[in-house]
Amino acid sequence: MTRERILMAAKDYLEKDNIESLTLRKIASLSAVSPPTVYAHFATMDELVAAFFLWLKPRLGLDRPLPPLAELPSMPERLFPLYDQYGALLRNLMNQPSWDRQRYADRDNRLGGWIAGIGGNFPDLTPTQLRRGALAIASYWSPTYWRWLMDTGRFTPEEAQAVASWGIQALIGALKADASGLDRLPASPAAGDATRTKDGEP
């Protein structure tokens, strides 16, 4: 299919070069089709990035049902090797506005039911504590955290998996022991401003 051909040409490029240097006209040349053909499938680069999210989602294991609580520490071991496999492409696409929009929408669809499902393991948590705690746990197997461990933490793949798994276990233990800290939020800047005089002094 022409659409797949265009995506694969862009994929091959992004595995070697930076997304900032890629244009739809260049993709047309790489995929040996005319620019209007590319525009018919992807009117903008944002549309191309959004399409990559949908293409990568099953390949990264992000379309699989989330496991029960006891199996969550194994998620980094299951998913991080897939992130490694598509690492160059992921690094290029992540933090692009259209990628983030797809990710946020997918988060709500994917995690909403799961959060409610694991709630039975934490009968004493408030809805706010459960939501914040569950989302914090889920962050430990995300591509974003994988990237931080690999690029900023400079961990080996094995270390990254072990650290993320340990973090998941620690957070689950903290939720079971005492989740009261999830109700404590700092005062907003607006609230802080109310305590100051016209000159800005307390």
Side-chain angles (χ1 to χ4, degrees):
M1 290 177 57
T2 303
R3 182 183 177 88
E4 185 79 3
R5 179 178 174 182
I6 294 168
L7 272 176
M8 291 305 96
K11 170 183 172 291
D12 291 344
Y13 183 89
L14 293 174
E15 286 177 338
K16 302 171 187 174
D17 294 284
N18 198 289
I19 194 170
E20 277 72 27
S21 62
L22 185 62
T23 65
L24 293 177
R25 282 191 168 274
K26 183 174 286 188
I27 293 172
S29 175
L30 293 170
S31 55
V33 300
S34 67
T37 299
V38 173
Y39 300 146
H41 291 279
F42 308 104
T44 65
M45 284 294 294
D46 274 355
E47 288 188 14
L48 179 75
V49 172
F52 264 123
F53 181 92
L54 299 176
W55 184 86
L56 274 170
K57 185 178 173 181
R59 291 163 175 82
L60 297 178
L62 297 178
D63 61 341
R64 302 173 186 171
L66 291 169
L69 192 72
E71 297 178 25
L72 292 182
S74 69
M75 289 292 283
E77 182 181 352
R78 299 181 192 181
L79 298 182
F80 281 15
L82 300 176
Y83 302 165
D84 290 330
Q85 181 180 345
Y86 292 97
L89 183 59
L90 264 177
R91 287 177 174 89
N92 252 321
L93 296 171
M94 288 170 69
N95 300 325
Q96 295 292 317
S98 52
W99 178 274
D100 283 341
R101 285 193 293 272
Q102 292 287 328
R103 182 167 59 91
Y104 296 148
D106 186 68
R107 178 198 63 188
D108 294 337
N109 294 333
R110 179 170 162 76
L111 296 180
W114 171 74
I115 291 173
I118 67 168
N121 296 279
F122 306 103
D124 297 327
L125 297 189
T126 67
T128 296
Q129 290 171 339
L130 177 62
R131 179 181 62 83
R132 291 174 177 168
L135 288 176
I137 290 171
S139 72
Y140 275 75
W141 64 72
S142 68
T144 302
Y145 188 56
W146 160 83
R147 182 180 182 181
W148 188 93
L149 290 172
M150 299 298 294
D151 296 354
T152 303
R154 308 298 290 177
F155 289 111
T156 66
E158 294 76 15
E159 287 176 323
Q161 292 175 32
V163 168
S165 178
W166 174 84
I168 292 169
Q169 294 179 62
L171 281 176
I172 291 173
L175 277 180
K176 290 180 176 179
D178 180 11
S180 60
L182 292 174
D183 285 326
R184 302 185 195 125
L185 293 175
S188 68
D193 289 344
T195 65
R196 296 182 177 273
T197 66
K198 285 176 60 178
D199 295 325
E201 295 295 327

